[in-house]
Amino acid sequence: MSTDSALRLLMPSLDELESVLSNLLNAPVRGDRLRKGEVMPDGYLAGLYHDQDDILRAIIQVDFAFALDCGARLSMIPVGVVEETKASGQLTETMTANVHEILNIFGLLFNEQRPGAPRVRLVALVGANELPDEARELLGHPKVQGIDARISWKGIDARGFLSVRMLPFDPRG
């Protein structure tokens, strides 16, 4: 096995993201890749994932609709609270903590289950407009891989967006 493949992270598939989210929320979730030319809405929250050497290797950004719906569904927050939160444009502490937990679990999808494989962990949940310089560098890296998806719940008009970006190899070379 080459050194490069030994240091490789896995890119989660859309099916894996759907399955994990469906299981967490106990609701059927559908993910659709954005079509060419379709614009991803501005992110609201971003999960930053570091490897065992504390190097940023992945970012998952979600928009406000995703954060609101998923954050509310995980704790079964009442509709009235969800409507108030939507109107305010600011998630409650519980909703933010729930999004953190969802993104923490998503982080496991980057990790291959073999001895010596690199591992990443969620180290921070930040506002998407507060990305540190290292995150902006990762997003602009020529070898970054990614998925942009629209997430919907079967039978419900609520939609959210999710963007996954990762460097499969250690950026230091």
Side-chain angles (χ1 to χ4, degrees):
M1 180 183 310
S2 75
T3 305
D4 286 346
S5 64
L7 298 176
R8 186 174 178 81
L9 288 177
L10 300 175
M11 172 57 89
S13 72
L14 192 52
D15 288 344
E16 290 171 320
L17 292 166
E18 276 180 3
S19 177
V20 168
L21 197 54
S22 290
N23 287 329
L24 283 172
L25 302 179
N26 196 27
V29 173
R30 178 179 169 168
D32 295 302
R33 284 184 185 268
L34 296 187
R35 294 185 197 117
K36 188 173 184 166
E38 192 173 359
V39 178
M40 174 84 180
D42 288 338
Y44 181 74
L45 292 173
L48 307 178
Y49 300 83
H50 285 208
D51 66 14
Q52 58 267 42
D53 294 326
D54 207 28
I55 304 296
L56 180 66
R57 296 285 295 275
I59 300 171
I60 298 180
Q61 294 187 71
V62 298
D63 72 337
F64 182 74
F66 179 99
L68 176 69
D69 288 338
C70 292
R73 284 174 183 267
L74 194 60
S75 291
M76 299 188 307
I77 292 174
V79 172
V81 174
V82 173
E83 291 302 319
E84 288 173 17
T85 302
K86 186 176 184 177
S88 78
Q90 295 289 322
L91 294 183
T92 66
E93 274 187 47
T94 300
M95 289 176 184
T96 302
N98 288 345
V99 171
H100 184 277
E101 185 58 27
I102 290 167
L103 295 186
N104 188 42
I105 293 168
F106 276 172
L108 297 174
L109 298 174
F110 293 113
N111 298 327
E112 191 173 337
Q113 300 304 313
R114 63 177 162 77
R119 301 276 188 263
V120 294
R121 70 194 183 293
L122 178 65
V123 296
L125 181 67
V126 299
N129 61 345
E130 301 166 356
L131 291 175
D133 289 341
E134 67 177 340
R136 293 182 204 290
E137 289 171 18
L138 184 145
L139 293 172
H141 195 284
K143 294 188 178 179
V144 73
Q145 296 179 359
I147 299 172
D148 291 328
R150 178 184 314 100
I151 305 297
S152 58
W153 288 260
K154 200 172 200 175
I156 299 175
D157 289 338
R159 292 180 181 249
F161 291 84
L162 157 74
S163 176
V164 179
R165 294 290 181 271
M166 64 157 272
L167 283 173
F169 301 102
D170 188 330
R172 298 171 298 175

